[in-house]
Amino acid sequence: MAGGEGYRNPTEVQMSQLVLPCHTNQRGELSVGQLLKWIDTTACLSAERHAGCPCVTASMDDIYFEHTISVGQVVNIKAKVNRAFNSSMEVGIQVASEDLCSEKQWNVCKALATFVAHRELSKVKLKQTTPQTEEEKTEHSVAAERRRMRLLYADTIKDLLANCVIQDDLESRDCSCMVPAERTRVESVELVLPPHANHQGNTFGGQIMAWMENVATIAASRLCRAHPTLKTIEMFHFRGPSQVGDRLVLKAIVNNAFKHSMEVGVCVEAYRQGAETQRRHINSAFMTFVVLDADDQPRTLPWIRPQPGDGERRYREASARKKIRLDRKYIVSCKQTEMPISVPWDPSNQVYLSYNNVSSLKMLVTKDNWVLSSEINQVRLYTLEDDKFLSFHMEMLVQVETIQAFLLLSDLLRRPEWDKHYRSVELVQQVDEDDAIYHVISPALGSDVKPQDFVILASRRKPCDNGDPYVIALRSVTLPTHPETPAYRRGETLCSGFCFWREGDQLTKVRPGVPPPPNSAPKATCVSRAQCCRLSQSHTWAPPPPPTPPAGSLLAWGSLRVSGAENKPSLRSDLCRDKTPGSRRKLWMLRAEAWVLI
C-alpha cells in the first residue's frame, strides 16, 4: 500500500559495499574517488530503471562530505528518481556508513544528480513519476525549482564573479612565507578502456570524477605537504561525452588557500589518438580540501602566491566562489527552523534565497498531516503543528480563471487597490522576471498605534508540468536601504504565499480569458508561516469580523512560531475546538495578522 509498511519506490536502487584495503587512501579511509564511482553507478541504475533505456550523467549538485569511512566498514547507497522531465530526470542519492561490529551508522553525504535518457534511433519522452509518500511528494515538488536553479547556475556564477568586489590582502602578505601556485600544478593523462565505460561505450561519469579527485588531491598535497581531506565538491556539469579509446588530460592547480581550507580547480579535456591538437573540454570542477590534525581539527594552511595574469584571476574568483558557496550551503541546506526570519539580501545569494523561498512553501504544502479545523461556506481552515510552529492554510474554490488569480495576487503594486490591509507598496528591486523585492506598509493592528512595514521577497512560478500549481512565495529579507525606522513596527514573515491548482480540465486545455465552467473552478490553497509576538493580546483584542471576500478574491492564512512546546496544546484547543466568544476573537486576530503578513 502506498506510504504504508512494505512500500518501496519503484525506481529505488540500493548498493552495499564492504570497504577493502584496495578502496582506501593512505589514511586507511575510503577514497572519495571510489565513493563517487559507486554513487554514479547506483544513481545511473535508478535512472535507467525509470527510463527503460541507457542514461548518462549530465550534472552533479554540491556534495558535502560529513563523515569519513574506514576500511572494514560498509557503505550503503540508496538512489531513487525524484522527478522526471522531458528527457532528463533528477536522482536523489543518500550515502551512509555502517560499522558491522558496533552496529553504528553515520550519514556520509547526500547528492543530487541529473541524468539524461538516450536512444540511438528515437527521441526519448520520459514518463512522469507518481510520488506516494510525503517525502516523495516534497522532493517531486521542489525538484522543479532545483532544475530552474541549475539552468541558471552557469550564468549566475559568471555574473557574480564579474560584478563581485573581492577583498584580498595579497599586497600585505609576507611573500617569503607563500607557496607559488605553479608548484601545485598537476597534469595527468588517462586512457579510457572498456572497464571505464558503460554499455554504450561512454566513459562513466563517476570514473571521470574519480580521476579528477585524484589529481586534485595531489595538487592540494603539494601545497600543505600533508594528506588532505576532501570536504566539498561544487556543482558542475558534463559538457560532453567521451568514449572508449579517448585520452583524457586532467589538469589541477590550487587556486587559493584560506586559513583552514583551499580550493583546487580541475579541468578535463579529451582527444583521440592522432588529433591531440583538437581537444574537447569535457568538464571542470572546484573542490575544497582541509588538512586535519590528530584531533580531527583543521590545520592552518600556508598562503598561496598566484601567478600574474590568469593565476591572479583564479585567485580572486576562488574568493568569490567561497562566499557564494557558503551562502548557498547556508540557504539551501539549512533547516527551516534554523533560518533567521529575515535573511540579508545580497547579489551573491539571490538565486539561492529565491530557491529557498519557493521550496519552503512547496515543502509546507506537501505535508500530509494537515488537520481540518473548520469549514464555513465552503472555505476550509487547516492547521498543522510542527516543532515550534503552528501553521495554517485556507482552501477555497473561486470562479476565476487560474492564471487571472495568479496574476492578480502576484502583482503587489496593485494590491492596495483592493486590499485595505495594504496601505502602500513600493517596488524596491526587480531582481528578474519572476522575483522582486517590495516594501509594504500596512495599517496598525488593534491597540498598536504604529503601522507595520515589511520588506518582502516575492517569487512567482508558473507550472513546470501538468498538475503543478502556480506558486506565489513570500518571505522577509533585510536591505541596508530599508532599515527599521521609529515610524513603523517592522513585521516579518518566514514562509507564506499562495498555490493554485485547476480543478477539472488540465491547464493545457483551458483557453486564456474564458471563465471556466462551475465544475472546473481553480482551487486556491493559501499557506503561510510567520512569527506572531502578540499572542497574549488575543484575549483582550477583538476587532470587528473581516468582510466577506468578493468572488475571485482570496484570503491567505499565517502561522505562529510558539515560544515553547508547552503552549501548543492550549493554543490548538482554543483555536480549533473551543467555540466560546474568546476563541472567536482569537481566530479573527489570526486572520487579521495573516492579511497583513501576506
Side-chain angles (χ1 to χ4, degrees), residues 2 58 277 314:
T277 58
R314 290 194 300 267

Side-chain angles (χ1 to χ4, degrees), residues 258-262 289-291 298-301:
F258 310 101
K259 184 176 182 180
H260 294 130
S261 65
M262 70 186 95
F289 289 83
V290 298
V291 179
R299 285 170 38 184
T300 302
L301 299 176

Side-chain angles (χ1 to χ4, degrees), residues 5 41 45 64 76 87 90 93 98 135 138 147 160 195 213 227 243 315 357 398 414 430 437 468 504 543 545 579 594:
E5 185 177 357
T41 301
L45 293 175
Y64 300 95
N76 296 313
S87 59
E90 179 190 277
I93 307 111
E98 175 185 0
E135 178 186 359
T138 299
R147 180 172 182 258
L160 290 175
E213 185 268 341
H227 300 308
Q243 292 81 30
Y315 180 93
N357 189 22
V398 291
R414 299 192 62 181
Q430 186 68 47
I437 300 177
D468 286 352
K579 304 301 181 181

Side-chain angles (χ1 to χ4, degrees), residues 224-299:
C224 61
R225 298 301 174 185
H227 300 308
T229 299
L230 179 59
K231 298 298 291 184
T232 304
I233 300 178
E234 194 166 308
M235 181 190 302
F236 62 86
H237 298 262
F238 285 94
R239 298 172 179 264
S242 64
Q243 292 81 30
V244 172
D246 278 349
R247 279 71 172 168
L248 299 188
V249 178
L250 300 102
K251 302 177 181 179
I253 190 171
V254 176
N255 291 330
N256 201 338
F258 310 101
K259 184 176 182 180
H260 294 130
S261 65
M262 70 186 95
E263 181 196 274
V264 180
V266 188
C267 173
V268 184
E269 297 175 334
Y271 68 92
R272 305 294 291 184
Q273 178 64 22
E276 186 173 357
T277 58
Q278 301 176 3
R279 294 186 178 183
R280 311 186 310 274
H281 186 189
I282 298 298
N283 191 13
S284 294
F286 301 99
M287 304 184 183
T288 302
F289 289 83
V290 298
V291 179
L292 303 177
D293 59 19
D295 298 323
D296 286 336
Q297 297 300 313
R299 285 170 38 184

Side-chain angles (χ1 to χ4, degrees), residues 27-43:
R27 295 189 304 273
E29 299 169 349
L30 174 63
S31 166
V32 174
Q34 181 62 59
L35 177 59
L36 291 172
K37 288 197 287 186
W38 288 340
I39 288 175
D40 183 68
T41 301
T42 309

Side-chain angles (χ1 to χ4, degrees), residues 63 67 73 114 124 161 193 326 360 362 433 516 548 585 597:
I63 305 178
H67 198 277
Q73 295 180 342
T114 301
V124 177
L161 293 179
L193 300 174
L326 294 176
S360 296
K362 287 186 173 182
E433 183 180 355
T548 302
R585 286 196 292 270
L597 289 175

Side-chain angles (χ1 to χ4, degrees), residues 545-556:
T548 302
S553 65
L554 298 174
L555 304 181

